[in-house]
Amino acid sequence: MEQRLVELQQEALEGIKKATDLKELNDIRVSYLGKKGPITEVLKGMGKLSAEERPKMGALANEVRDVIAQAIEEKQSILEEEAVAKKLASETIDVTLPGRQVKTGNHHPLTRIIEEIEDLFIGMGYTIAEGPEVESDYYNFEALNLPKGHPARDMQDSFYITEELLLRTHTSPMQARTMEKQNGKGPVKIICPGKVYRRDNDDATHSHQFMQIEGLVVDENIQMSDLKGTLDVFAKKMFGEDREIRLRPSFFPFTEPSVEMDISCKICSGKGCNVCKGTGWIEVLGAGMVHPNVLEMAGYDSKKYTGFAFGIGSERIAMLKYGIDDIRHYYTNDVRFLKQFSIHE
Ligand code: FA5
């Protein structure tokens, strides 16, 4: 029995020495020191020994167990250290590698143009107003001198939600909304940027959803020359002193007289192309003197107060400023197009 215990110790120590990982070492622990292991097996034969030999064998068996347990413990710390070292080596960070480039976004060209226009008008003393995109028939048409059945409603083909609600076809409802809040008193000087919707067929210069910036100035003694001067400053600041501008007489039921402003086409330098439809000009805004009926409906005394208003097409301004040849580029999210407006490269 003594011989067998010494052999088992020898075998276990050999195995421990050869173990290459923690799992293998644990298998050795279970097989030699476990309840069903060979040492326990040997000790079962103790009954056949003499009373003198029995304590000797018990002590030897305990010694063998201790030697094996001690060896396992030592090997375990060696293997653990090795595992940590291996992990550290495999996870080393190579600080000399080039870093990953962080891609920065940039403002959409329309956002840029709108912010530029806002800054320009804020500099002239205007404040910014905002209104709902889902608008009532009253503010979109009736309060603007366009009663139900008025033929001029056809100028702006609309997306109706109910009989009385529609997606606003222009930002002009904000004229009526803003004036109403004033209770007929005091000056108004606002711009209102926002989305508008029309059942227009999409082409190079038309989109079914686009952006407008409404402007409204109401006070005593506001004249057509104030409107003309304002539009002149706007056009010169946006496009430079030498860019050609023209005002054409036009018609809007909510302004009288009414005008439209065209800017010479940048794409063809005025020679005529598919963007300006061969005319050399692109229409960028509608404007006029606020119609007395609109002032009165919003609570203003039209004998005391006058005003002017304008509605700028933001996409067209950006097209003319940046030389963009198709309005649809703004809405198709082609990164190659958008990247050209990055301020980071
Ligand atoms: C209006 O919408 C008037 N509310 C403008 C106005 C305001 C007149 C205040 C008088 C006083 P118009 O439908 O012409 O007008 O549109 C104004 C501008 O929006 C146009 O000059 C053009 O630049 C732009 N625009 C019109 N339709 C489209 C479209 N489908 N896609 C892109 N831009 C458009």
Side-chain angles (χ1 to χ4, degrees):
M1 185 176 277
E2 185 179 345
Q3 174 72 15
R4 180 73 190 123
L5 284 173
V6 173
E7 272 170 20
L8 282 174
Q9 176 175 320
Q10 207 67 33
E11 270 172 34
L13 292 180
E14 292 266 306
I16 292 166
K17 207 168 154 195
K18 284 188 196 142
T20 51
D21 60 34
L22 289 165
K23 180 177 179 309
E24 222 177 296
L25 190 67
N26 198 43
D27 289 346
I28 294 172
R29 183 204 316 278
V30 174
S31 77
Y32 282 94
L33 303 181
K35 275 191 189 139
K36 290 179 189 153
I39 298 175
T40 319
E41 219 35 61
V42 171
L43 290 178
K44 276 185 191 158
M46 291 255 276
K48 290 183 198 140
L49 295 178
S50 66
E52 222 173 81
E53 271 182 315
R54 230 176 273 156
K56 261 170 75 188
M57 271 321 121
L60 180 62
N62 282 341
E63 198 187 311
V64 167
R65 268 188 214 272
D66 288 349
V67 168
I68 295 173
Q70 169 94 22
I72 288 176
E73 211 171 290
E74 279 164 15
K75 183 76 179 191
Q76 181 164 345
S77 56
I78 292 171
L79 287 176
E80 274 169 359
E81 267 172 38
E82 274 175 14
V84 171
K86 215 163 143 188
K87 202 166 178 221
L88 281 177
S90 70
E91 289 177 1
T92 308
I93 297 167
D94 183 352
V95 287
T96 63
L97 282 175
R100 257 183 228 142
Q101 206 188 349
V102 179
K103 289 199 176 133
T104 43
N106 55 279
H107 278 153
H108 192 277
L110 272 178
T111 309
R112 276 177 68 175
I113 212 82
I114 291 165
E115 285 180 355
E116 197 179 327
I117 297 173
E118 283 176 358
D119 286 348
L120 181 68
F121 280 100
I122 287 169
M124 292 196 273
Y126 288 69
T127 51
I128 297 178
E130 280 184 4
E133 287 174 31
V134 176
E135 187 53 281
S136 67
D137 184 274
Y138 176 76
Y139 285 113
N140 197 80
F141 291 126
E142 284 189 50
L144 296 173
N145 207 24
L146 274 147
K148 285 207 164 80
H150 193 293
R153 283 191 176 208
D154 294 346
M155 286 163 74
Q156 299 178 1
D157 224 348
S158 327
F159 291 109
Y160 271 91
I161 293 164
T162 66
E163 286 254 311
E164 290 304 320
L165 276 182
L166 70 157
L167 295 178
R168 67 177 174 194
T169 54
H170 51 177
T171 42
S172 298
M174 280 307 286
Q175 290 185 32
R177 283 182 177 274
T178 310
M179 283 192 280
E180 254 185 25
K181 279 201 203 133
Q182 296 285 120
N183 290 323
K185 280 192 212 77
V188 171
K189 205 171 177 186
I190 55 122
I191 55 163
C192 168
K195 279 195 196 116
V196 303
Y197 306 82
R198 285 186 201 175
R199 289 177 52 187
D200 277 348
N201 289 327
D202 292 357
D203 64 20
T205 50
H206 291 85
S207 172
H208 56 281
Q209 178 226 287
F210 59 102
M211 309 281 290
Q212 283 189 342
I213 301 178
E214 192 77 10
L216 174 69
V217 174
V218 178
D219 206 344
E220 293 177 35
N221 293 320
I222 297 290
Q223 296 171 10
M224 187 77 183
S225 53
D226 297 314
L227 170 64
K228 196 162 178 271
T230 305
L231 295 181
D232 207 44
V233 170
F234 164 69
K236 295 230 156 74
K237 290 263 185 230
M238 285 316 282
F239 302 108
E241 294 287 328
D242 47 359
R243 196 70 172 275
E244 281 189 83
I245 302 154
R246 73 177 185 191
L247 286 181
R248 278 181 292 108
S250 186
F251 169 77
F252 297 103
F254 33 95
T255 47
E256 181 57 38
S258 304
V259 290
E260 277 179 322
M261 186 166 94
D262 301 336
I263 309 270
S264 63
C265 180
K266 185 178 176 168
I267 315 283
C268 63
S269 309
K271 286 188 208 89
C273 64
N274 75 321
V275 178
C276 60
K277 313 233 160 44
T279 63
W281 297 95
I282 296 181
E283 178 209 315
V284 291
L285 62 84
M289 299 305 291
V290 182
H291 196 291
N293 289 356
V294 175
L295 285 166
E296 296 284 342
M297 272 188 277
Y300 271 90
D301 178 356
S302 65
K303 294 209 176 60
K304 189 172 170 203
Y305 287 97
T306 48
F308 69 74
F310 53 83
I312 304 170
S314 312
E315 282 82 351
R316 303 249 181 112
I317 300 288
M319 285 174 86
L320 285 164
K321 180 140 180 155
Y322 301 132
I324 296 165
D325 62 2
D326 198 313
I327 199 168
R328 288 164 286 203
H329 287 312
Y330 294 120
Y331 298 111
T332 40
N333 287 333
D334 185 335
V335 202
R336 291 167 303 173
F337 168 75
L338 297 172
K339 256 180 144 175
Q340 297 175 81
F341 301 91
S342 170
I343 48 164
H344 304 293
E345 284 174 295

